[in-house]
Amino acid sequence: MALSYISPQFIIERDASRCIACQVCVRQCANDVHSYNEEDGLVSSHSLNCAGCHRCVTACPTQALNVRLSPLDFRPHANWTPSIITNIYKQAESGGMLLTGMGCDQPYRIYWDHMVLNASQVTNPSIDPLREPMELKTYLGSKPEQLEFSQSQDGLELDTEIGPQLELAIPIMFSAMSYGSISFNACESLARAAQIAGTYYNTGEGGLHPDLYKYGANTVAQVASGRFGVHLNYLNAVAALEIKVGQGAKPGIGGHLPGEKVSLDISRTRMIPQGTDAISPAPHHDIYSIEDLRQLIFALKEATHYSKPVSVKVAAVHNIAPIASGIVRAGADIVAIDGLRGGTGAAPTVIRNNVGIPIEMAIAAVDQRLRDEGIRHRASLVAAGSIRSSSDVVKAIALGADAVYIATSALVALGCHLCQRCYTGKCNWGIATQDPYLTKRLNPNIGARRLVNLLRAWSLEIKEMMGGMGVNSIESLRGNRDHLRGVGLNQVELDALGIKAAGY
Amino acid sequence: MSTAAVQTKTQTLDAGGLYYRDLNERLLELVNEGAETVEILNVNGQRYLGTNLQRPVRLIVHGIPGNDLGAFMDGPQITVLGSAQDGCGNTMNSGSIIIHGSAGDILGHSMRGGTILVKGNVGYRVGIHMKEYETVRPAIVIGGTAQHFLGEYMSGGVLVVLGLNLDSDELHPTHFLGTGMHGGVIFMRGRVDASYLGKEVGQEKMDDADNWLLQRLVQEYADTFKVDSEGIFSVPFIKLVPRTKRPYGQLYAY
């Protein structure tokens, strides 16, 4: 084999005085970085394969290991950076598209970090969330134009029929991740956590494993272009349906689960032949227009007797505002928008890093457009695509979202270290893998507990922020951009976000 | 069984002027009340017939049903005494659809079980992304011919195109046949130009199992539409299969 030009990205430092050659690192690494030599009784490391996931460092009982970025530098060049050079080496060796996992890692401006929140001082009182009720409950679904009541013997009665709603105890749901892209234990961790926390997780387009039907009341089931595992029992087992048109990490393109990952269990869940590529085409074959989208939305409503809301998920792209308007007019009850930095189990690097717009801009544009057209009430708006903290949640809602989807944050709670190698199927944390030796590392009970802890912590923080602003219901914060100010943004950006600069 | 019992099990429903949602709701009520066969009269473009009926009820449709006839269908047997529009059998799980006329685009899209028989022609992208798994295998038999992208992305199931309305020297007009195909099988009766095939498609010799399968499906077609099956077999079939189950295995750098 010809010499590869690719040099190790990481250096593994092993403190010989601490290493007891217990071989935990050897067993923990699916990338075969560590090996034990029986002759000299020593463990050594081959750093070229290291993904930088820290599993060995975390598992080492004597803290003998450390993983650092390799200090090996090319001659500095502002244009020809090490990653660009290395990518060309990889492509010259393989002839293939570069593949990656998780969300965009490029330094585009993160607008969350350029928006600050308001707080009450003197002229209006702040609220102490420790002693006063704070309402985070959120209903997702189409709301009526107006409410009509009539007087009866028992008092006022609501005459207006209100369509099906999702009831969320906190305005945070787990975003779509399929069984196939993540392990069964990861799916079950999300499902259990959603049930305990009073929110929802999302099947992605991998179908619903029979053992997860019991979490149906806390499940959003996707219908995507591959139609994997989509049948009447699946549609009727869950709380809401979501037509997946696009994903922030890879707008406009399809995807596929490689045949070697389509095991017997995944083949049954997706209802496809074992060992074939599970191809999700770029478009839905039955959607070429807003009218066609309407047809699929109502096919799903017919199939489920109009009993559950239907969401349409799209990637945030240039003309997202009119697109969202069309989706609402097509009859969607929820519009989910996934931004540029949204995650993925596998996407071509060039797509992930170059296509789509930041979610902050998309939410602001869509909320404004729907208000201008007088149809904002007809659908709820869910923001996705890198919500990293409770302050991102609050800012998203103040910009106009009803709720947010989190996925990367949830996986980080489960142990993900953002090594961005999900597509290899060798996740040492038992998340993005189907290898039983790796998946058993993730215990769904512990996973669910960690996720519930995260949601509890964020909801406490959200209440603190709301209290500070003098707001005691998340409803009062929604689309309330007066609570936001921009720092370090130019006027065009401020206008796009619909917020004032700090100081104004 | 008394005549009265038989009568209640066969019901008639006039679809004239009914909105699809009301028609389907009425249909569901009849089925819930125990109807085993429903004759639906004056159907004129109503969508999603059969979608929400998850049991083996018989529907006889007089007229032209709308798009997504039998979408997500699981169990019913639908006979259309007329033509069907687009999206017929979309993501269908089980049951059967028999169309005594022609059908539109994406017939059998993502279908994973059951049977569709069409007496006449079909539109574009028919059988797109058909699937199969374990012992479940869907089949579509088309008496006439099909437009472009027949069997696109096909990952399972059986497509049979008889070309009964073509002249003996006339080619099937189907371009890009089986583009992206990575499973399943297509049997074409009559002349297919090799340059019309998708690049993922190969031709294979028929074996005994193929002949048996084809015999069974063609017989079903012939019995249903009252045509002579021997005459159908007087013209040879060709068998089209995917060259690989992994058409996109070599795209990426890891």
Side-chain angles (χ1 to χ4, degrees):
Chain A
M1 202 178 127
L3 180 68
S4 168
Y5 299 167
I6 298 164
S7 47
Q9 213 180 341
F10 296 96
I11 283 189
I12 292 151
E13 294 176 336
R14 182 182 300 276
D15 184 341
S17 68
R18 284 177 175 268
C19 180
I20 54 171
C22 67
Q23 300 174 57
V24 163
C25 54
V26 178
R27 289 188 293 273
Q28 289 290 320
C29 183
N31 298 313
D32 298 326
V33 168
H34 308 286
S35 57
Y36 177 68
N37 186 328
E38 286 193 12
E39 276 180 25
D40 57 17
L42 294 177
V43 178
S44 58
S45 304
H46 181 66
S47 56
L48 186 63
N49 294 338
C50 179
C53 82
H54 300 181
R55 179 75 191 183
C56 58
V57 176
T58 312
C60 178
T62 60
Q63 291 84 48
L65 285 170
N66 193 14
V67 174
R68 287 199 296 134
L69 270 180
S70 170
L72 175 69
D73 271 326
F74 293 87
R75 181 178 287 273
H77 198 299
N79 188 33
W80 293 96
T81 60
S83 71
I84 284 177
I85 295 171
T86 310
N87 284 346
I88 289 178
Y89 290 152
K90 276 187 198 163
Q91 297 196 289
E93 284 172 21
S94 69
M97 285 190 273
L98 296 165
L99 210 55
T100 190
M102 305 315 285
C104 175
D105 65 354
Q106 298 301 295
Y108 294 109
R109 173 163 280 181
I110 297 167
Y111 289 96
W112 302 132
D113 299 338
H114 290 266
M115 285 187 277
V116 288
L117 293 166
N118 195 27
S120 305
Q121 299 291 297
V122 185
T123 54
N124 54 344
S126 50
I127 302 170
D128 183 351
L130 300 181
R131 274 173 292 280
E132 294 188 58
M134 300 295 273
E135 190 60 86
L136 295 187
K137 182 161 283 188
T138 300
Y139 290 93
L140 300 184
S142 186
K143 309 293 188 294
E145 196 100 7
Q146 58 185 23
L147 295 177
E148 286 180 9
F149 298 87
S150 59
Q151 189 77 44
S152 75
Q153 287 177 336
D154 308 323
L156 275 184
E157 276 190 26
L158 179 63
D159 292 338
T160 310
E161 201 178 314
I162 297 177
Q165 307 282 323
L166 285 185
E167 183 182 330
L168 281 66
I170 41 170
I172 303 169
M173 300 185 287
F174 298 125
S175 195
M177 290 177 275
S178 69
Y179 173 46
S181 75
I182 59 171
S183 63
F184 178 83
N185 285 357
C187 291
E188 187 162 32
S189 301
L190 293 161
R192 279 192 202 176
Q195 190 180 56
I196 295 167
T199 184
Y200 300 84
Y201 86 108
N202 188 311
T203 61
E205 54 176 320
L208 188 58
H209 192 280
D211 294 348
L212 296 177
Y213 269 72
K214 57 177 179 274
Y215 302 106
N218 295 90
T219 306
V220 177
Q222 263 194 355
V223 175
S225 63
R227 302 289 153 87
F228 299 124
V230 176
H231 59 113
L232 284 179
N233 295 344
Y234 168 82
L235 299 176
N236 282 300
V238 299
L241 303 171
E242 182 168 87
I243 298 170
K244 181 206 174 181
V245 173
Q247 183 178 346
K250 40 182 170 180
I253 71 164
H256 60 263
L257 192 68
E260 60 261 23
K261 291 190 187 173
V262 182
S263 62
L264 181 62
D265 213 28
I266 287 181
S267 138
R268 281 182 181 153
T269 306
R270 296 196 174 207
M271 303 170 118
I272 52 168
Q274 202 177 338
T276 61
D277 284 350
I279 297 175
S280 297
H284 285 250
H285 307 307
D286 46 2
I287 304 178
Y288 283 66
S289 65
I290 292 292
E291 291 78 8
D292 289 349
L293 175 65
R294 182 177 180 84
Q295 183 174 312
L296 183 57
I297 290 172
F298 282 87
L300 294 173
K301 287 180 183 261
E302 280 285 329
T304 55
H305 311 284
Y306 296 83
S307 64
K308 51 198 72 180
V310 175
S311 166
V312 174
K313 178 179 176 181
V314 286
V317 292
H318 299 355
N319 292 316
I320 189 64
I323 292 166
S325 168
I327 292 169
V328 174
R329 291 169 193 283
D333 303 297
I334 299 168
V335 184
I337 305 176
D338 194 12
L340 168 69
R341 296 184 302 270
T344 176
T349 313
V350 69
I351 302 290
R352 184 194 75 169
N353 289 354
N354 295 285
V355 183
I357 66 170
I359 187 61
E360 303 91 317
M361 293 300 186
I363 286 297
V366 168
D367 178 67
Q368 193 57 51
R369 176 69 173 250
L370 299 182
R371 283 173 193 278
D372 291 347
E373 294 185 2
I375 56 172
R376 178 65 182 82
H377 64 283
R378 276 163 59 177
S380 296
L381 200 52
V382 178
S386 201
I387 303 290
R388 306 156 301 165
S389 64
S390 58
S391 62
D392 290 355
V393 178
V394 170
K395 290 170 188 175
I397 291 172
L399 274 181
D402 289 87
V404 302
Y405 264 143
I406 61 167
T408 303
S409 300
L411 296 191
V412 171
L414 294 176
C416 169
H417 278 54
L418 268 299
C419 78
Q420 305 177 48
R421 297 277 197 102
C422 323
Y423 58 93
T424 64
K426 291 180 178 176
C427 176
N428 285 322
W429 294 91
I431 300 168
T433 177
Q434 303 305 323
D435 179 347
Y437 181 71
L438 301 173
T439 58
K440 69 182 181 195
R441 296 175 185 181
L442 181 58
N443 176 322
N445 287 327
I446 298 171
R449 178 46 52 198
R450 293 180 67 92
L451 290 164
V452 171
N453 282 344
L454 178 74
L455 293 179
R456 176 179 184 271
W458 283 16
S459 65
L460 290 172
E461 291 174 343
I462 292 169
K463 288 176 181 178
E464 287 289 350
M465 283 180 268
M466 283 167 52
M469 288 185 266
V471 167
N472 63 7
S473 165
I474 199 85
E475 297 255 315
S476 312
L477 183 64
R478 186 169 311 128
N480 195 340
R481 299 186 199 179
D482 273 343
H483 283 301
L484 296 169
R485 288 291 186 275
V487 176
L489 299 176
N490 64 37
Q491 194 57 49
V492 174
E493 291 167 314
L494 291 167
D495 290 346
L497 291 166
I499 61 172
K500 293 175 184 165
Y504 281 88
Chain B
M1 197 184 288
S2 73
T3 322
V6 172
Q7 274 173 350
T8 56
K9 289 189 174 182
T10 301
Q11 295 281 354
T12 306
L13 180 54
D14 187 353
L18 272 186
Y19 188 51
Y20 72 78
R21 188 171 170 180
D22 302 323
L23 172 59
N24 290 329
E25 209 173 288
R26 185 74 198 104
L27 202 50
L28 180 62
E29 278 169 20
L30 286 177
V31 172
N32 283 341
E33 286 162 11
E36 290 175 359
T37 300
V38 184
E39 296 246 5
I40 315 173
L41 309 178
N42 301 315
V43 174
N44 187 9
Q46 286 97 339
R47 291 176 173 178
Y48 317 120
L49 282 175
T51 286
N52 61 5
L53 312 172
Q54 204 171 9
R55 67 199 75 180
V57 58
R58 282 195 71 205
L59 305 181
I60 297 161
V61 177
H62 298 260
I64 312 271
N67 289 354
D68 272 351
L69 169 74
F72 308 114
M73 194 170 89
D74 197 16
Q77 295 164 281
I78 301 181
T79 299
V80 179
L81 302 172
S83 292
Q85 297 188 346
D86 297 339
C88 173
N90 188 346
T91 323
M92 173 171 161
N93 203 54
S94 71
S96 70
I97 300 177
I98 293 165
I99 296 161
H100 282 259
S102 288
D105 301 340
I106 60 159
L107 177 94
H109 164 17
S110 288
M111 173 186 181
R112 77 172 72 81
T115 310
I116 300 178
L117 307 178
V118 182
K119 188 174 186 193
N121 295 323
V122 294
Y124 295 84
R125 295 178 193 263
V126 163
I128 187 167
H129 219 160
M130 267 171 91
K131 301 163 168 59
E132 65 184 43
Y133 78 112
E134 296 184 335
T135 57
V136 187
R137 197 179 196 199
I140 298 178
V141 184
I142 296 150
T145 187
Q147 279 299 340
H148 309 327
F149 290 102
L150 175 76
E152 188 183 9
Y153 280 123
M154 193 170 167
S155 66
V158 189
L159 267 173
V160 182
V161 183
L162 301 177
L164 297 176
N165 53 3
L166 297 178
D167 292 337
S168 60
D169 58 343
E170 196 178 351
L171 284 170
H172 281 282
T174 323
H175 289 246
F176 306 106
L177 206 167
T179 294
M181 185 178 182
H182 53 290
V185 58
I186 304 174
F187 297 105
M188 301 287 292
R189 176 184 173 278
R191 296 187 60 210
V192 174
D193 192 307
S195 71
Y196 290 5
L197 299 183
K199 63 182 188 296
E200 295 83 3
V201 179
Q203 196 176 332
E204 215 174 61
K205 250 186 95 181
M206 299 228 273
D207 58 22
D208 288 348
D210 295 324
N211 284 322
W212 180 84
L213 173 67
L214 200 51
Q215 185 76 46
R216 183 173 66 78
L217 289 171
V218 169
Q219 197 59 51
E220 200 176 332
Y221 177 91
D223 293 347
T224 303
F225 298 116
K226 309 279 186 282
V227 292
D228 170 29
S229 66
E230 269 180 44
I232 294 176
F233 280 109
S234 66
V235 173
F237 283 81
I238 62 164
K239 177 189 178 189
L240 302 173
V241 291
R243 292 181 190 275
T244 165
K245 287 162 81 178
R246 303 281 323 274
Y248 306 118
Q250 303 296 321
L251 288 177
Y252 301 108
Y254 281 86

